Amino acid sequence: MKVLVVGANGQIGKQTTEMLQEQNDHHVRAMVRKEDQLNEFKEKGIEAVLADLEGPVEQLAQAAEGCDAVIFAAGSGGQTGADKTLLIDLDGAIKMVEAAEKAGVERFLMVSALQAHNRDNWNEKIRHYYVAKHYADKALEESSLNHTIVRPGGLLNEAGTGQVRVATDLPERATIPREDVARVLVASLNQEKAFNRGFDLVSGEQSIEEALKTL
Ligand SMILES: NC(=O)c1ccc[n+]([C@@H]2O[C@H](COP(=O)([O-])OP(=O)(O)OC[C@H]3O[C@@H](n4cnc5c(N)ncnc54)[C@H](OP(=O)(O)O)[C@@H]3O)[C@@H](O)[C@H]2O)c1
């Protein structure tokens, strides 16, 4: 599969891109928004393309041209205001879904957030963030794309364990290393049990392969 990683310079995005680059059965293209990031990937032998989620859908569609799948791992981050949450996490994600459809991409994996599908469990302090994630996920569900919505718990920077818990609904707050989220994304690309569905994801006691089979 040829996979476009959106947000490839981010923490999950970078690990996902590098894992895909190491695998023989996938080819990866990193989507970044700055020239120096582009050069950094190219120096590592990774195909890279410049595009900005605040730019037009046509530019994003060009970035996705020739790809079989998109992994959306971008985000406005915790340091920006609610305006960027709207522009990146909501509109940027939806524009990328539109762009993937335009470019004839078949598969789209979205990095969402734990319980984004369940209003009763949204963290009051960042409710606007959950609104953005919720409606971006809905737009993907309503698209023509074969989608997987991965909703991880609180992200950690420690090494992954490869042991996870997945389910349609995991209401208790919990965490997961970014490395394991990246592994789940890569493993979900061809996993039919993950097609056209969303799931919560936290650290657990099953191997990723086994956990995905329970979906
Ligand atoms: N933090 C948590 O506990 C948590 C929990 C669940 C889910 N999530 C979600 O997980 C995802 C990944 O998280 P992360 O921590 O790996 O993210 P991250 O390190 O903040 O990376 C986000 C990436 O998005 C890129 N980006 C931002 N605006 C862009 C634009 N206009 N055009 C193109 N790219 C743009 C950034 O580019 P630059 O490198 O140029 O800045 C960055 O590379 C996010 O969607 C986040 O909401 C987070």
Side-chain angles (χ1 to χ4, degrees):
M1 247 187 207
K2 176 97 178 194
V3 186
L4 180 74
V5 178
V6 177
N9 193 57
Q11 299 168 89
I12 289 179
K14 208 169 253 183
Q15 298 194 58
T16 307
T17 303
E18 286 170 0
M19 281 175 201
L20 287 167
Q21 176 74 357
E22 282 164 17
Q23 292 201 351
N24 292 328
D25 40 351
H26 296 297
H27 299 279
V28 66
R29 182 186 294 162
M31 188 183 116
V32 294
R33 58 174 167 165
K34 293 173 195 143
E35 198 80 37
D36 57 331
Q37 298 167 350
L38 187 83
N39 293 332
E40 212 175 290
F41 279 102
K42 285 185 174 170
E43 277 162 21
K44 286 191 223 158
I46 298 174
E47 185 185 333
V49 64
L50 262 189
D52 193 321
L53 288 165
E54 292 193 54
V57 171
E58 289 66 30
Q59 184 194 77
L60 301 172
Q62 263 175 26
E65 202 61 53
C67 288
D68 306 298
V70 167
I71 294 180
F72 188 95
S76 58
Q79 305 307 313
T80 58
D83 54 339
K84 291 291 180 194
T85 309
L86 271 183
L87 291 170
I88 308 302
D89 301 279
L90 179 59
D91 196 40
I94 294 175
K95 283 196 287 185
M96 201 61 232
V97 169
E98 290 173 17
E101 285 182 312
K102 248 182 201 296
V105 172
E106 283 178 15
R107 189 106 173 79
F108 196 113
L109 282 71
M110 179 77 87
V111 180
S112 181
L114 190 74
Q115 294 287 300
H117 64 300
N118 182 2
R119 288 188 184 93
D120 294 342
N121 262 336
W122 291 355
N123 180 341
E124 279 307 320
K125 285 187 195 140
I126 48 166
R127 204 166 175 87
H128 62 290
Y129 166 76
Y130 282 94
V131 170
K133 289 296 206 189
H134 181 81
Y135 286 99
D137 293 352
K138 268 202 179 295
L140 175 57
E141 282 166 349
E142 284 162 16
S143 76
S144 61
L145 300 162
N146 175 352
H147 61 271
T148 299
I149 298 166
V150 178
R151 299 188 299 259
L155 300 174
L156 306 174
N157 277 336
E158 59 201 43
T161 63
Q163 301 287 301
V164 300
R165 188 167 165 219
V166 302
T168 312
D169 201 39
L170 292 172
E172 321 84 57
R173 283 195 194 172
T175 57
I176 181 164
R178 284 180 168 87
E179 185 184 342
D180 283 335
V181 179
R183 285 185 189 158
V184 167
L185 290 166
V186 173
S188 297
L189 276 168
N190 285 319
Q191 173 51 260
E192 288 184 20
K193 296 268 190 178
F195 287 2
N196 292 316
R197 64 180 307 150
F199 55 88
D200 286 335
L201 168 70
V202 297
S203 288
E205 285 168 357
Q206 265 187 316
S207 73
I208 289 168
E209 200 184 325
E210 286 306 316
L212 291 178
K213 282 188 199 154
T214 65
L215 287 171

